[in-house]
Amino acid sequence: MRHSPAPTGTLSVPLWRAIAVFRFAALGYVLVLYARNAADYAHPFLAAPVLLGMIVWTITATWAYPRRQLRRWPLLATDLAVALATLLVSPWLIGRPALADGVPTIAVAWLAGPVLAWAVAGGRRLGVAAAVVLAATDLAVRDRLNESSVTPGVLMLLAGIAVGHVARLIATAEQRLRRAVELEAATRELAAATRERERLARDIHDSVLQVLAMVARRGAHLDGEAGELARLAGEQESALRALVTSRPTAPSTAPPADAAAPPGDATDLRTMVAGYAAPRVSVAAPAEPVLLPGHLATEVTAAVGAALDNALRHGGPDTRAWVLIEAEPDAVTVSVRDDGCGIAPGRLAEAAAQGRLGVSQSIRGRIVEVGGTVRIHSAPDEGTEIELRVPAPVPG
């Protein structure tokens, strides 16, 4: 028999708890009615073992149904069989004259327990199937067919339909929730892969790409194998730039080998940036340590290196650069200034469009990625100042 998928996750837990509450409440009602009507029973003392069996099964079903590995056809069939057995012994225990006079069967509302369990386990179809079987048996043990004898069966049918419909909705919600979780996990994996790609691209930019560009530029007018090598280097540079810029964010220059900081440690930014000091580069820093988390200090240092590389490479042979580190309570600002030829208006946008990543990604990309900001002040023949500002959280 095909039926609606049953809810199997945490969303179905409240349903099984509600059925457990119903079973015990219905069992209490059964015991109250027995105490009240036992004098009218044909065999009141023999009803005690039946009531004991109902108590034991109520406890067993309450324990078993929430466990998915036990929620199989043997448990469902046994649940229905126990309810049918209590119905079938009712005419003998109570007596048909008493049943005809309106004394309820020994199970009363407890009969609905299997209907609810079947509905939650298999949806509306199984719930209605269990209700039909129990309702037909209930009518069979009575001598008269009237409104009061039909009402219990109708109520069980309605309960099977309603609870089965709710169970189907929960099953659908669980499937959608599972799909959403899978999509979220896939998105996180994609984001992690993208970040790794960006990190690799940053490392590539000022190493492989610039070497290829230099080889292509210097060998462009040579003949023979040297000229062919220059041509191939130019082709590979273009292909690699296209690959690196195929993602929205990107690459940048790595800091000096001795400047990389452990990602979880508090690192003095002054020590890392001091590695860039050279005859044409001056570094000024506060007297007190400028502490940043390791990964943040590494990114700032790499951005400073990219800014210095651009300044000295494009500013001319006599260009000088100055690095100034300023520490504030909630932020750290690093300014890289040079006295070179400056940047022509529109040059940065043009370079980014051509796949040249030095400023747009090696500098700005790094700082923005860690929550900072970049400001660039430049004009032709007036030099360039790049201001890098990052938040300064208390190192963990």
Side-chain angles (χ1 to χ4, degrees):
M1 178 186 296
R2 295 183 60 188
H3 53 81
S4 303
T8 57
T10 57
L11 296 181
S12 66
V13 172
L15 284 179
W16 295 114
R17 289 176 178 171
I19 293 176
V21 172
F22 171 82
R23 285 181 185 270
F24 279 101
L27 180 63
Y29 184 55
V30 167
L31 296 177
V32 170
L33 288 183
Y34 171 74
R36 177 182 177 182
N37 299 323
D40 299 325
Y41 281 20
H43 303 90
F45 296 106
L46 295 179
V50 176
L51 293 174
L52 180 60
M54 293 171 65
I55 294 172
V56 171
W57 181 248
T58 298
I59 297 173
T60 303
T62 300
W63 173 83
Y65 270 112
R67 291 162 172 77
R68 188 169 59 178
Q69 68 275 16
L70 299 179
R71 201 185 311 141
R72 299 286 187 267
W73 278 111
L75 177 61
L76 293 169
T78 302
D79 195 11
L80 186 62
V82 171
L84 287 173
T86 60
L87 269 178
L88 293 174
V89 299
S90 291
W92 180 69
L93 291 176
I94 299 173
R96 292 191 177 276
L99 288 175
D101 289 340
V103 176
T105 60
I106 194 169
V108 203
W110 191 79
L111 281 179
V115 175
L116 300 180
W118 277 49
V120 173
R124 288 173 296 184
R125 293 183 180 181
L126 285 188
V128 169
V132 168
V133 171
L134 290 173
T137 305
D138 185 52
L139 291 175
V141 301
R142 300 176 185 272
D143 291 333
R144 297 180 182 179
L145 184 63
N146 52 37
E147 182 177 340
S148 61
S149 62
V150 172
T151 298
V154 173
L155 293 177
M156 283 191 291
L157 282 172
L158 294 177
I161 294 172
V163 175
H165 180 67
V166 172
R168 184 179 64 82
L169 293 179
I170 289 179
T172 301
E174 286 183 344
Q175 292 174 355
R176 292 179 178 176
L177 178 60
R178 190 179 304 111
R179 178 59 178 163
V181 171
E182 292 173 354
L183 289 175
E184 181 182 5
T187 301
R188 289 180 178 176
E189 292 178 0
L190 179 60
T194 301
R195 288 193 297 270
E196 179 64 12
R197 181 189 181 96
E198 294 167 1
R199 185 189 67 79
L200 293 174
R202 280 194 286 265
D203 294 340
I204 287 172
H205 166 252
D206 286 333
S207 54
V208 180
L209 285 178
Q210 293 191 357
V211 169
L212 290 174
M214 181 183 68
V215 172
R217 185 172 59 254
R218 294 187 177 182
H221 304 295
L222 300 177
D223 297 326
E225 293 184 359
E228 178 66 13
L229 179 61
R231 184 185 66 79
L232 293 175
E235 292 178 356
Q236 293 304 311
E237 181 208 4
S238 299
L240 189 54
R241 284 190 187 277
L243 176 63
V244 167
T245 56
S246 63
R247 296 284 181 170
T249 52
S252 90
T253 305
D258 59 350
D265 297 342
T267 304
D268 188 354
L269 183 63
R270 303 176 309 163
T271 303
M272 299 181 69
V273 174
Y276 291 118
R280 295 166 59 191
V281 178
S282 299
V283 178
E288 298 295 327
V290 180
L291 298 179
L292 289 177
H295 74 283
L296 185 57
T298 298
E299 294 299 307
V300 173
T301 304
V304 170
L308 289 172
D309 182 78
N310 283 340
L312 301 180
R313 184 183 299 273
H314 303 297
D318 298 325
T319 299
R320 291 183 55 82
W322 294 266
V323 179
L324 174 63
I325 303 175
E326 299 175 276
E328 303 173 22
D330 60 347
V332 171
T333 302
V334 181
S335 301
V336 181
R337 182 172 60 86
D338 66 73
D339 59 0
C341 60
I343 303 174
R347 178 56 187 153
L348 294 180
E350 179 184 350
Q354 294 174 351
R356 300 187 179 277
L357 314 174
V359 173
S360 65
Q361 296 181 1
S362 291
I363 299 174
R364 192 184 303 277
R366 283 187 183 275
I367 300 304
V368 171
E369 186 176 298
V370 296
T373 58
V374 177
R375 296 173 58 189
I376 301 176
H377 306 276
S378 183
D381 301 323
E382 295 183 9
T384 301
E385 181 177 0
I386 300 178
E387 181 183 277
L388 315 174
R389 184 179 178 85
V390 296
V394 177

